[in-house]
Structures are given as C-alpha cells and as structure tokens.
Amino acid sequence: MVKIKNVVSDSPAGRIGIMPEDYLITVNGVEVNDVLDYMFYTAETSVNIGILRNDRKLDFHVEKDEYDDLGLEFDTFLMDKKQSCRNKCVFCFIDQMPPAMRETLYFKDDDTRLSFLQGNYVTLTNLNQSDIDRIIKMKLNMNVSVHTTNPELRVKMMHNRFAGEKLKYIYQLAENGISLNCQIVCCPDLNDGDELRRTLSDLGGLMPNISSMAVVPVGLTKYRDGLYPLKCFTPERASETIDIIAEFQEIFLEKYGTRTVFPSDEFFLIADRKLPPVEYYEDFPQYENGVGMFRSLIDEFTTALDTAECKDKERHISIATGYSAYKIIKHLTEKVMKKFPLLRCDVWRIRNDFFGETITVSGLITATDLISQLNGKNLGETLLISQSMLMNGSPVFLDDLTVEDVEKSLDVKIKSVSNDGYELLDAIMGTNC
C-alpha cells in the first residue's frame, strides 16, 4: 500500500476519479509495494485499481494504451525508501571517504530496483528467493557486482556471511534467461590472478546470459586506518591482469562471437600499455564502468579535428585533469595547437590531495585541489574541467564548493565538458570556429 501524492490532470487515473491522498493497494489484484510492481502491473491495456480512501476500499477500472502511465505520483521515485548495502566490502570507496562530508555521500546503495531502472550495480546479498522470483517473472535484466565466484573469498571480501551463499542467485537468474552485466572490482592478492581466472571461467559458463563483464582496479584513498590492508596495482600486476582477461576474450570470441569481458581503461594506463582500437570494445557495453571511455574520446576528438576550421584569432585556455588522463589530454591538445598555431591550450595535472595521491581519476578532483594548485597560474580566458567532477550535473564539487567558488578564487571562467571528443574540441576552440 502506497500513498498517492498527486494525480496528473487529464491522465487515465485522473479521469476515473483517483485523488491525491488516496492509497494505492492493488493493480489487477496484485499488491503494489514499490515502483517495479507499479510499472509491471500497470503496463496492461485493461487495469483494475484498488484504492483505500478514508478507510473505504474503492475499485476503479481503466482502459488505456499499453505501457501508458496511469498518472499517479508518489513521495519518492521508488515509492518507498532506498535499500542500503548490508556488506562491508574490503574495497568499499565509501568507507574510505574523509569525515564531515555531506551525509548523502555516505549512503551505500544496494537497491535491485535501481539496477534495472538506472543501471546501478548490486550484490544481491540483501535479496531472498521471493525477490529473485519477482525479477524472473518481470524479466528484469540486472547489473551485478560479483567480484569473485569463490564463495569463501566472496564472504571475506564483502564481509558478509551470506555473500557466498547468494552466488546461487546469479546462476538462477542466468539460467532463467535474465541478462546480466557483471562487475569485478579487482584487488591484488585477493581476487586477481588465478582467482580472476576462476571467476571468468565460472561466469563464462553462464553465457550467453552473461551479457558483459568489466574488471576494474580497486581505488584506495588515504583514509584507510583500521581497514583491510589492500595494495594498489603495480604496472606489472596491471599488465598481468590485462593478459588474463585477453585469454578469456579469445575463448569467448571464438565460442560466442563476443569478447564479453573487458578491463577498464585504468588498467592500460597503470600498465602503460597502448589503448586497444575502437573495434576491441564492440558496442561499449561497459562504458559507464570506464571501459573504452578514453578510446571513444580519442577517436571522436581526432575525427572532429580532421574537419575543424578556425579563424585567425589568438586564444588561450587551460584544462585541469587527473594524473591518469593527463598524457591523453596533453596529446590531444598538442594536435590541436599544431593545426592551429594561434591557439594555446595548457593542460594542468591535478594531484589529488583531498583523497590521496593514489586517486588519479579526474572525476574525484575537488574544488579545494583545483584552487590550491592553480592559484596564481595564467589559465587564460577559460578553464575546462571534466563534467564528472560535479555532482549529478549540478555546479557542486564533492567537497561542497561550487563552480562559482572556484571561478572567484582563480579569477577565470570555468566550463565543464562531458567525455565526448566533439564537445571537448568545441570547448577548446570556443567561438573562434
């Protein structure tokens, strides 16, 4: 039973007399508890709706087009509270956060509904058999954080005594035709090497319902007092991991016509190995996990630059980036300046003092580090930053300072740019083109 906050005017629900403050009880005789129930059971063309109004049970019927929304709005998108994580993973980034940040940054999400609706990765450890049955009935494709298929090791890594037992749900979902995208956060001396081989072999046995797998290196901040003693990947260990993944890519490619498993870009950067060509990434199924982002950026940028034209006008701008992307961004800007000599683009490599120097990605750069390291520098007319530095498209950095705060401190206009080569070139060249 869920309280209705609002009814959209001239919607199917509004036309039949459902009102705000009513409680939605059932749809087509099935109890509705959250957004998945609501979306699944209201998709039909003929819908019976059970409503509670002032302690009276009322029944409504509506005919509508398939998948048309009824027009009901609730207090939250999920129609109830987010499900939090019950694990204490040894690699959890939230456990490595500095103190005194905004409260929402410490919330650990492990909500299966958000996996289907927004692409979040979930561990399945807070589910029971009835939850799995619902996923299968609704045919909900899922994104699953696997990490290892060794039950004992999964218990150790996730610090949850049920984590190994819940692996059975992955097999059950795959065997019932649910498509799974899988994530493996790889930690040296824990789930890399032969343990990684075991995981890839086990998941490979569930293909083709394992749609894709991403292997990403663990990220370690300086705030790890009292936590499990993890190590960062060395170039040698990163290179070894890439080679292990390549072994399975060849097997999967021959058997299924797809590589299926991919290392994140960070492995190639750590190992100082050349990024693969665009064909390697197929349809970029794990793009949001950092797989192929740099290759996509480079190819888009190069294509855009080939046909770009610019007026004979001087322009000076800067780009702030993390250590991992520095060489790539520097290389791209050198190509631009070679073609357009009147354009000057300085690339500033920002050290992550806020989280620690082992964090090298641009998305975790804070305003505090931008201000402290760029103060007094000649940044030109505009400073470009990655859109990933800002919170959900807002003008706020992780440390709660804003774009305006940085602009005032550095006396420069800031422009955020997405991971898109065309957009990056446009931002570098500005209105000169």
Side-chain angles (χ1 to χ4, degrees):
M1 183 169 65
V2 186
K3 187 177 182 179
I4 299 168
K5 181 179 181 180
N6 187 42
V7 181
V8 177
S9 61
D10 200 32
S11 65
R15 289 193 295 269
I16 61 175
I18 296 177
M19 302 170 60
E21 305 297 319
D22 286 347
Y23 284 85
L24 176 63
I25 305 173
T26 60
V27 173
N28 287 341
V30 180
E31 184 178 352
V32 174
N33 294 298
D34 65 12
V35 64
L36 292 186
D37 291 336
Y38 178 75
M39 292 175 65
F40 185 76
Y41 293 108
T42 62
E44 303 295 330
T45 58
S46 179
V47 181
N48 295 308
I49 306 165
I51 292 292
L52 184 67
R53 179 183 298 166
N54 298 327
D55 296 327
R56 288 181 56 218
K57 175 74 164 53
L58 304 175
D59 293 311
F60 294 86
H61 178 80
V62 63
E63 298 286 337
K64 63 179 186 62
D65 290 337
E66 190 174 18
Y67 298 114
D68 273 4
D69 186 65
L70 288 178
L72 301 181
E73 296 178 349
F74 306 91
D75 283 330
T76 66
F77 167 67
L78 292 173
M79 299 169 62
D80 69 352
K81 295 180 180 179
K82 285 185 182 179
Q83 296 172 359
S84 61
C85 185
R86 298 179 182 177
N87 311 308
K88 193 170 178 60
C89 296
V90 296
F91 51 80
C92 179
F93 195 84
I94 293 176
D95 288 341
Q96 305 176 70
M97 296 273 277
M101 298 182 73
R102 79 175 73 100
E103 186 177 346
T104 54
L105 293 177
Y106 299 103
F107 181 79
K108 298 181 183 181
D109 160 49
D110 197 14
D111 199 309
T112 309
R113 298 161 301 184
L114 293 178
S115 177
F116 171 69
L117 296 169
Q118 298 181 356
N120 296 20
Y121 277 80
V122 292
T123 65
L124 307 181
T125 56
N126 61 3
L127 302 187
N128 56 39
Q129 187 59 51
S130 64
D131 296 319
I132 297 299
D133 292 341
R134 182 170 80 149
I135 292 171
I136 293 170
K137 180 179 181 180
M138 294 183 177
K139 297 180 173 60
L140 306 178
N141 297 329
M142 303 296 297
N143 298 327
V144 182
S145 291
V146 180
H147 309 313
T148 177
T149 54
N150 179 336
E152 292 78 18
L153 179 58
R154 197 170 196 248
V155 168
K156 177 180 179 179
M157 290 188 67
M158 301 176 75
H159 210 260
N160 182 328
R161 63 191 178 97
F162 300 109
E165 173 190 333
K166 301 291 185 175
L167 282 169
K168 66 184 180 184
Y169 291 154
I170 296 174
Y171 294 89
Q172 191 175 346
L173 291 171
E175 289 164 0
N176 281 275
I178 301 300
S179 178
L180 303 175
N181 294 305
C182 298
Q183 177 192 67
I184 300 163
V185 175
C186 208
C187 305
D189 296 331
L190 272 180
N191 62 335
D192 64 340
D194 286 341
E195 286 292 348
L196 178 59
R197 288 189 175 93
R198 169 177 175 166
T199 299
L200 298 182
S201 178
D202 288 345
L203 293 177
L206 298 175
M207 290 175 66
N209 288 321
I210 299 296
S211 298
S212 68
M213 297 179 247
V215 183
V216 301
V218 62
L220 305 178
T221 78
K222 63 184 180 182
Y223 298 95
R224 290 197 56 82
D225 289 346
L227 300 179
Y228 189 93
L230 292 175
K231 304 175 184 176
C232 291
F233 270 93
T234 62
E236 295 75 22
R237 293 293 281 272
S239 192
E240 176 188 335
T241 301
I242 294 171
D243 292 339
I244 290 172
I245 293 169
E247 295 172 18
F248 286 88
Q249 288 179 322
E250 291 182 15
I251 295 170
F252 298 154
L253 193 58
E254 181 178 352
K255 189 171 183 180
Y256 300 103
T258 172
R259 292 176 178 84
T260 305
V261 58
F262 303 90
S264 71
D265 294 355
E266 199 171 351
F267 274 113
F268 291 101
L269 300 178
I270 295 170
D272 198 22
R273 285 171 61 162
K274 186 177 179 181
L275 291 171
V278 68
E279 295 81 12
Y280 171 92
Y281 297 100
E282 300 177 3
D283 294 327
F284 292 87
Q286 289 277 355
Y287 184 86
E288 297 302 326
N289 249 326
V291 176
M293 278 190 168
F294 282 126
R295 171 49 64 199
S296 176
L297 177 71
I298 293 167
D299 281 24
E300 290 169 350
F301 190 95
T302 303
T303 300
L305 184 60
D306 285 343
T307 57
E309 297 180 359
C310 198
K311 299 174 184 176
D312 291 331
K313 182 179 178 182
E314 291 187 2
R315 174 172 165 82
H316 176 205
I317 67 161
S318 292
I319 300 176
T321 187
Y323 271 51
S324 61
Y326 175 77
K327 286 184 179 180
I328 292 172
I329 301 300
K330 183 73 172 174
H331 174 67
L332 295 179
T333 58
E334 287 172 350
K335 292 175 69 172
V336 178
M337 290 187 288
K338 183 177 181 180
K339 184 170 182 177
F340 304 113
L342 294 180
L343 175 63
R344 174 183 168 187
C345 182
D346 297 324
V347 183
W348 299 93
R349 180 169 48 185
I350 305 300
R351 182 183 63 252
N352 201 318
D353 293 330
F354 191 87
F355 287 104
E357 294 184 29
T358 54
I359 299 298
T360 61
V361 296
S362 297
L364 291 174
I365 291 175
T366 60
T368 302
D369 284 339
L370 287 175
I371 293 169
S372 65
Q373 294 175 46
L374 296 179
N375 189 35
K377 309 293 188 199
N378 180 8
L379 302 175
E381 62 187 77
T382 304
L383 174 65
L384 305 183
I385 64 171
S386 171
Q387 200 172 79
S388 62
M389 296 182 195
L390 304 175
M391 296 286 291
N392 301 320
S394 73
V396 181
F397 290 85
L398 279 168
D399 55 359
D400 280 341
L401 295 179
T402 66
V403 167
E404 185 179 0
D405 293 329
V406 180
E407 288 179 329
K408 288 180 179 178
S409 296
L410 299 179
D411 192 26
V412 68
K413 179 183 178 182
I414 288 181
K415 179 177 177 60
S416 64
V417 183
S418 67
N419 192 78
D420 180 284
Y422 299 98
E423 184 179 334
L424 176 59
L425 181 62
D426 284 345
I428 290 173
M429 298 179 68
T431 58
N432 294 336
C433 305

